[in-house]
Amino acid sequence: MSSRTTRSIAHYLMLSPFMLLFAVFFLYPIASGFFYSFFEWNAAQSSQFVGLANYTKVFTSRSFEKATWNLLVYVAITVPLGISVALGLALLVDSFSGFWAKFFRSAFFIPVVMPLFLAATIWRWIYAPNFGLLNTVLAWFGVPSVQFLNDTGTMLYAMIAVDVWVSAGFNMVILLAGLKNVPRHYYEAARLDGASKFQQIVHVTIPSIRPVLFFVITYGLISALQVFDIPWLLTGSSFAEYGGRANTLLFPVMDMMGRGFGSVRFGQASAYGFMLTILIVCVTAVMFALRKRFGDV
């Protein structure tokens, strides 16, 4: 056996623990979920093959229609808004140096490392109808109390505000790293040409950080399609009752979990999860295709 083959075997042996864990905790659950998506199974009785019936039941259900609509509205608002806020924060932090740059960077990043149940508790207090901070401020201007987490007209937007608050710090750090790599002489040349600050952002900053923006947008889309924890916590959901009033905060992952652990319909939950996986893969493929089509600067 040659020395090159020996080194290759040694390298594969070092990778084997990771590959084993990857296969057991990632590949096997995916394959198992896909298998059970064709069966009627409640974990207590033997499974029965039903073919595509689980997919049909999920796709034609009213909860699927409601969850899909909520997801579309949520993604259409949250992704561009969240990235815009993160970019604004990154530009703000980039304008400072020394102590203040570190201070603002740390302050904006705190929500990212904060436990989500704590973040949800804080915002439930802020949104409280009678004594909440936001309604207290609104009362100073004579605005009646608003049921932010119980009014179907405000629930989704209230949740989006919390989501942006939680996630903006992470995106800010990524975008800030991209801003630090933009050559300063680009801005000097733009200023000499009479470009305003806004024009510098549009024509210098954004084109220069397109690869970073691609990552942030793709990651934001994938995360948004899997939204679960924030609406679940804000509405105080359980497997027996979830989605808030009139299912205003019902999303696909919540519906999937409710079918599996609430209604004990694991076959439908598996079908739901596989459909969501296909959607995420397709969205990711489209993003990479667009990147290849338009290229990077």
Side-chain angles (χ1 to χ4, degrees):
M1 185 179 296
S2 65
S3 59
R4 182 176 180 180
T5 303
T6 304
R7 287 197 302 270
S8 298
I9 293 176
H11 293 162
Y12 283 117
L13 287 175
M14 287 187 286
L15 287 173
S16 60
F18 165 78
M19 298 304 297
L20 178 62
L21 293 174
F22 182 76
V24 171
F25 294 104
F26 188 79
L27 297 180
Y28 173 75
I30 292 177
S32 177
F34 179 67
F35 173 79
Y36 281 111
S37 69
F38 298 102
F39 289 82
E40 186 69 35
W41 181 53
N42 60 10
Q45 300 173 347
S46 58
S47 58
Q48 297 181 351
F49 181 77
V50 294
L52 297 175
N54 286 328
Y55 290 90
T56 302
K57 290 178 181 178
V58 169
F59 192 75
T60 58
S61 64
R62 292 180 61 86
S63 62
F64 177 82
E65 180 182 352
K66 181 66 175 179
T68 303
W69 173 251
N70 289 343
L71 184 66
L72 290 174
V73 176
Y74 167 78
V75 170
I77 298 175
T78 302
V79 175
L81 178 62
I83 293 173
S84 298
V85 171
L87 180 59
L89 295 178
L91 291 169
L92 175 63
V93 174
D94 191 48
S95 65
F96 290 92
S97 60
F99 169 80
W100 289 111
K102 296 178 182 178
F103 173 80
F104 285 118
R105 184 170 61 245
S106 300
F108 295 146
F109 195 74
I110 286 176
V112 179
V113 297
M114 180 182 296
L116 280 175
F117 76 89
L118 179 58
T121 301
I122 293 173
W123 279 94
R124 290 185 70 176
W125 169 73
I126 292 174
Y127 286 144
N130 297 319
F131 57 85
L133 177 62
L134 188 52
N135 273 308
T136 300
V137 174
L138 292 176
W140 295 345
F141 300 94
V143 179
S145 179
V146 180
Q147 301 277 344
F148 288 102
L149 296 178
N150 201 37
D151 186 340
T152 56
T154 60
M155 290 172 66
L156 182 60
Y157 304 106
M159 190 213 77
I160 289 174
V162 178
D163 188 275
V164 171
W165 181 78
V166 169
S167 62
F170 174 82
N171 292 331
M172 176 209 67
V173 171
I174 302 299
L175 291 170
L176 184 60
L179 291 177
K180 294 298 183 183
N181 290 323
V182 179
R184 296 294 125 178
H185 64 265
Y186 286 1
Y187 296 107
E188 295 174 2
R191 283 194 295 268
L192 290 174
D193 288 337
S196 64
K197 188 65 177 177
F198 178 76
Q199 290 173 326
Q200 292 176 38
I201 294 173
V202 172
H203 299 290
V204 177
T205 304
I206 293 179
S208 299
I209 62 171
R210 279 178 60 183
V212 180
L213 281 173
F214 168 79
F215 169 80
V216 171
I217 294 172
T218 305
Y219 179 82
L221 283 170
I222 294 173
S223 299
L225 292 173
Q226 302 176 77
V227 61
F228 167 76
D229 38 25
I230 292 178
W232 184 275
L233 292 169
L234 287 178
T235 55
S237 297
S238 65
F239 291 125
E241 185 176 354
Y242 50 89
R245 185 178 179 184
N247 284 336
T248 305
L249 293 185
L250 177 66
F251 293 95
V253 175
M254 297 172 66
D255 195 15
M256 178 187 69
M257 298 290 287
R259 290 171 189 263
F261 297 101
S263 303
V264 200
R265 293 176 292 179
F266 291 108
Q268 290 188 30
S270 298
Y272 213 136
F274 194 72
M275 291 168 64
L276 186 60
T277 301
I278 293 176
L279 174 62
I280 293 173
V281 170
C282 290
V283 169
T284 306
V286 168
M287 291 299 300
F288 275 92
L290 290 175
R291 183 190 182 192
K292 184 178 181 180
R293 170 67 176 81
F294 295 103
D296 294 325
V297 174

